[in-house]
Amino acid sequence: MHIASDPVADHSAAAPYSWTIRVYYEDTDAGGIVFYANYLKFFERARTEWLRAAGIGQLALSEGDGVMFVVKSTSVDYHAPAKLDDELKLTVVVERLGRASVEFLQQAWKISPTGSTLLAVGRIKVGCVNCASFRPSAIPPHVLDRIPR
Amino acid sequence: MHIASDPVADHSAAAPYSWTIRVYYEDTDAGGIVFYANYLKFFERARTEWLRAAGIGQLALSEGDGVMFVVKSTSVDYHAPAKLDDELKLTVVVERLGRASVEFLQQAWKISPTGSTLLAVGRIKVGCVNCASFRPSAIPPHVLDRIPR
Amino acid sequence: MHIASDPVADHSAAAPYSWTIRVYYEDTDAGGIVFYANYLKFFERARTEWLRAAGIGQLALSEGDGVMFVVKSTSVDYHAPAKLDDELKLTVVVERLGRASVEFLQQAWKISPTGSTLLAVGRIKVGCVNCASFRPSAIPPHVLDRIPR
Amino acid sequence: MHIASDPVADHSAAAPYSWTIRVYYEDTDAGGIVFYANYLKFFERARTEWLRAAGIGQLALSEGDGVMFVVKSTSVDYHAPAKLDDELKLTVVVERLGRASVEFLQQAWKISPTGSTLLAVGRIKVGCVNCASFRPSAIPPHVLDRIPR
């Protein structure tokens, strides 16, 4: 399933941030494919590395600013399955940046010598909250300044 | 966050199938709450027990009919966090039953002596596929007959 | 693999605490069987319910006493695989109770109409630590009094 | 906890194969640290990459030779906790190579600018089995030849 004309693929043209991972036994299920819930983990690994590349560490954020990012909503469409040993590329695009929230468009692609296959497309909304109260909190300015747009 | 007037809560009136679980350390993350991706696991546990209650076993389905249910899309809104030791009730409602797919509305509620709190609402679409080719396959009639509506 | 003469099975005679679970897709891997690391989760679920049955909640423990149990060492032997939909019985036996640690012998059995099969045997050592410093801390007396021996 | 004189650390001198990972939210629990069972996943990631570096892919192994490696026993000692965003180095040393099994000594180290800290030491025994029967099967010669010793 090589997808060239998919409208969401236009983001690829903009060369979004991407992070590459491998599929291990831990990621698969008895169907012989990656367990669908694990794409949420994969997408988060990519967002975490995207933040780290921008100089933002999440442990430092919670310990230094008393805030953390929590996921408010997720939406994932699964197009094709991945298998053990597959190499996956996860992309990160900010679709909307609010005062206390960020909305991401993320894709999972299978990378192979014969081309890339779109496996899953996710829309993830995260909110910045106070670590103790879990109440919404403005994203600290020093973080906001560093978030790539 | 006791939600009485939420429109999705109307389904509670219809007494949907529900399955109760506990939150263990394995389900939580360093934010001190249940890791959001795990609600997809919780929802699947409830769908599995709902199928089992209808006499449908998924290993038997793949070994006997050569088909299995795979998740095609998921959408989850997170309303409130759950913590270690919380008791959660997961509900299962069929919103649409197709020839080769089923769409579910599922909720996660925290149960406590003082009342219930809506934690998360999910919409999960599963498709019936051939175990070898992963191509869509009609839900076997003996399964379709047993699916509660 | 019905094991009647296994020396560790003698503990069954003493009717140890047991907790029953089901195997879901989330627990399996592409080998078609339960992913071995998940037995550690299963064993912990049983220890948690065993503590709860004794009136000890772990969130209450950390919030009320400022201590928590952490795992110091694990050792698991895998005898037979479990599959999707299998019903498993997890047992809990205290082998040694120290001032700040507890050593458990745990077994995972597959339950079926034709008999039980020993799947895995684990030895788990947990230590009581201060939640902030992670330094060893004596098990609080009100907890020690309730731990079944 | 910088461990210089630990006897197991002698293996570091031999420059064993190592694989580096990061700790994400998915790896942590409500204790604020990496959930202990996840070290088994980390160790397996390292073994998988060690095999891959030797030209051995596990999906190819099961599809081409009809055999797979399954874990027969695990033993892990936990020395110090890891936290969110920590960078971990996992090492792989073959302690014993049999006709149908391999025994590994593996370590998890926290890497930081001020030095390395030993977090966990594992001994993992894997067996080669037939994919269908799960019965022991000799490691295929073309695999045995490539396993680094």
Side-chain angles (χ1 to χ4, degrees):
Chain A
M1 196 173 94
H2 293 193
I3 294 177
S5 59
D6 189 294
V8 298
D10 290 341
H11 289 280
S12 294
Y17 178 85
S18 72
W19 180 252
T20 301
I21 64 161
R22 282 281 189 174
V23 174
Y24 301 113
Y25 265 116
E26 64 179 275
D27 304 312
T28 60
D29 69 21
I33 58 177
V34 168
F35 185 64
Y36 61 97
N38 290 337
Y39 286 92
L40 290 180
K41 296 183 176 180
F42 298 167
F43 286 145
E44 176 165 330
R45 293 181 198 174
R47 293 195 307 273
T48 301
E49 296 301 338
W50 166 86
L51 274 177
R52 195 189 326 279
I56 305 163
Q58 290 185 85
L59 185 62
L61 189 63
S62 65
E63 293 184 345
D65 297 84
V67 297
M68 61 180 177
F69 287 114
V70 296
V71 171
K72 302 302 288 177
S73 69
T74 62
S75 173
V76 184
D77 289 306
Y78 302 92
H79 296 287
K83 294 195 169 182
L84 190 65
D85 288 334
D86 279 350
E87 190 171 6
L88 306 191
K89 186 176 80 169
L90 293 318
T91 64
V92 180
V93 170
V94 173
E95 286 210 307
R96 194 184 152 273
L97 181 57
R99 204 184 62 92
S101 67
V102 192
E103 293 178 32
F104 295 94
L105 171 63
Q106 299 197 255
Q107 300 175 353
W109 294 81
K110 176 179 165 177
I111 306 301
S112 74
T114 55
S116 297
T117 306
L118 182 63
L119 303 180
V121 177
R123 282 188 162 78
I124 315 292
K125 182 178 178 180
V126 306
C128 185
V129 302
N130 181 286
C131 288
S133 70
F134 291 100
R135 293 227 173 104
S137 180
I139 299 170
H142 70 93
V143 173
L144 207 55
D145 289 350
R146 283 178 178 164
I147 290 183
R149 263 153 274 200
Chain B
M1 199 172 92
H2 292 197
I3 293 176
S5 59
D6 190 293
V8 298
D10 290 342
H11 289 279
S12 295
Y17 179 85
S18 71
W19 181 251
T20 301
I21 63 161
R22 282 283 190 174
V23 174
Y24 300 114
Y25 265 116
E26 65 180 273
D27 304 312
T28 60
D29 69 20
I33 58 177
V34 167
F35 185 64
Y36 60 98
N38 290 337
Y39 286 92
L40 291 181
K41 295 184 178 182
F42 298 167
F43 286 145
E44 176 165 330
R45 292 181 200 174
R47 292 196 308 274
T48 301
E49 296 301 339
W50 166 86
L51 273 177
R52 196 190 323 280
I56 305 163
Q58 291 185 85
L59 185 62
L61 189 63
S62 65
E63 293 184 344
D65 297 85
V67 298
M68 63 181 176
F69 288 113
V70 296
V71 171
K72 303 302 289 178
S73 69
T74 63
S75 173
V76 184
D77 288 306
Y78 302 92
H79 297 287
K83 295 194 169 183
L84 190 65
D85 288 334
D86 279 350
E87 189 171 6
L88 305 192
K89 186 176 79 170
L90 294 318
T91 64
V92 180
V93 170
V94 174
E95 286 211 307
R96 196 187 150 272
L97 180 57
R99 203 184 63 93
S101 67
V102 192
E103 293 178 32
F104 295 94
L105 170 63
Q106 298 196 256
Q107 300 175 353
W109 294 82
K110 175 179 166 179
I111 306 301
S112 74
T114 56
S116 297
T117 307
L118 183 63
L119 303 180
V121 177
R123 280 188 166 76
I124 316 292
K125 182 179 178 180
V126 306
C128 185
V129 302
N130 180 287
C131 288
S133 69
F134 290 101
R135 294 226 172 105
S137 181
I139 299 170
H142 69 93
V143 173
L144 207 55
D145 289 350
R146 284 178 177 163
I147 291 183
R149 263 153 271 201
Chain C
M1 198 173 94
H2 292 196
I3 293 175
S5 60
D6 190 294
V8 297
D10 289 343
H11 288 280
S12 296
Y17 178 85
S18 71
W19 180 252
T20 302
I21 63 161
R22 282 281 188 175
V23 174
Y24 301 114
Y25 265 115
E26 65 179 274
D27 304 312
T28 61
D29 69 19
I33 58 177
V34 168
F35 186 65
Y36 61 98
N38 291 337
Y39 286 91
L40 291 180
K41 295 183 177 181
F42 298 166
F43 286 145
E44 176 164 331
R45 292 180 199 174
R47 294 196 307 274
T48 301
E49 297 301 338
W50 166 86
L51 273 177
R52 196 190 326 279
I56 305 163
Q58 291 185 84
L59 184 62
L61 190 63
S62 65
E63 293 184 344
D65 297 83
V67 298
M68 61 180 176
F69 287 113
V70 296
V71 171
K72 302 303 288 177
S73 68
T74 63
S75 172
V76 184
D77 288 307
Y78 302 92
H79 297 287
K83 295 196 169 182
L84 189 65
D85 288 334
D86 278 351
E87 189 171 7
L88 306 191
K89 187 177 80 169
L90 294 317
T91 64
V92 180
V93 170
V94 173
E95 286 211 307
R96 196 187 149 272
L97 180 58
R99 205 185 61 92
S101 67
V102 192
E103 293 177 31
F104 296 94
L105 170 63
Q106 298 197 256
Q107 300 175 354
W109 294 81
K110 175 180 165 177
I111 306 301
S112 74
T114 56
S116 296
T117 307
L118 183 62
L119 304 180
V121 177
R123 280 188 165 76
I124 315 292
K125 182 179 179 180
V126 305
C128 185
V129 302
N130 181 288
C131 289
S133 68
F134 290 99
R135 293 227 173 105
S137 180
I139 300 170
H142 70 92
V143 173
L144 207 53
D145 289 349
R146 284 179 179 164
I147 290 182
R149 262 154 275 198
Chain D
M1 199 172 93
H2 291 197
I3 294 176
S5 59
D6 188 295
V8 298
D10 290 342
H11 288 278
S12 295
Y17 178 85
S18 72
W19 180 251
T20 302
I21 63 160
R22 282 281 189 174
V23 174
Y24 300 114
Y25 265 116
E26 65 180 274
D27 304 312
T28 60
D29 69 20
I33 59 178
V34 168
F35 185 66
Y36 60 97
N38 290 336
Y39 285 92
L40 291 181
K41 295 183 178 182
F42 298 167
F43 286 145
E44 176 165 331
R45 293 181 199 174
R47 294 196 307 274
T48 301
E49 296 301 338
W50 165 86
L51 274 177
R52 198 192 320 282
I56 305 163
Q58 292 185 85
L59 184 61
L61 189 63
S62 64
E63 293 184 344
D65 296 84
V67 298
M68 62 180 178
F69 287 114
V70 296
V71 172
K72 303 302 289 177
S73 68
T74 63
S75 173
V76 184
D77 288 306
Y78 302 92
H79 296 287
K83 293 194 171 184
L84 190 65
D85 288 334
D86 279 350
E87 190 171 5
L88 306 191
K89 186 177 80 169
L90 293 318
T91 65
V92 180
V93 170
V94 173
E95 285 211 307
R96 195 186 151 272
L97 180 58
R99 203 184 62 93
S101 66
V102 192
E103 293 178 31
F104 296 94
L105 171 63
Q106 299 198 253
Q107 299 176 352
W109 293 82
K110 176 180 166 177
I111 307 302
S112 73
T114 56
S116 297
T117 307
L118 184 62
L119 303 180
V121 177
R123 280 187 165 80
I124 315 291
K125 182 179 178 180
V126 306
C128 186
V129 302
N130 180 286
C131 289
S133 69
F134 290 101
R135 293 225 173 106
S137 180
I139 300 170
H142 70 93
V143 173
L144 208 54
D145 289 350
R146 284 178 177 163
I147 291 183
R149 262 153 273 201

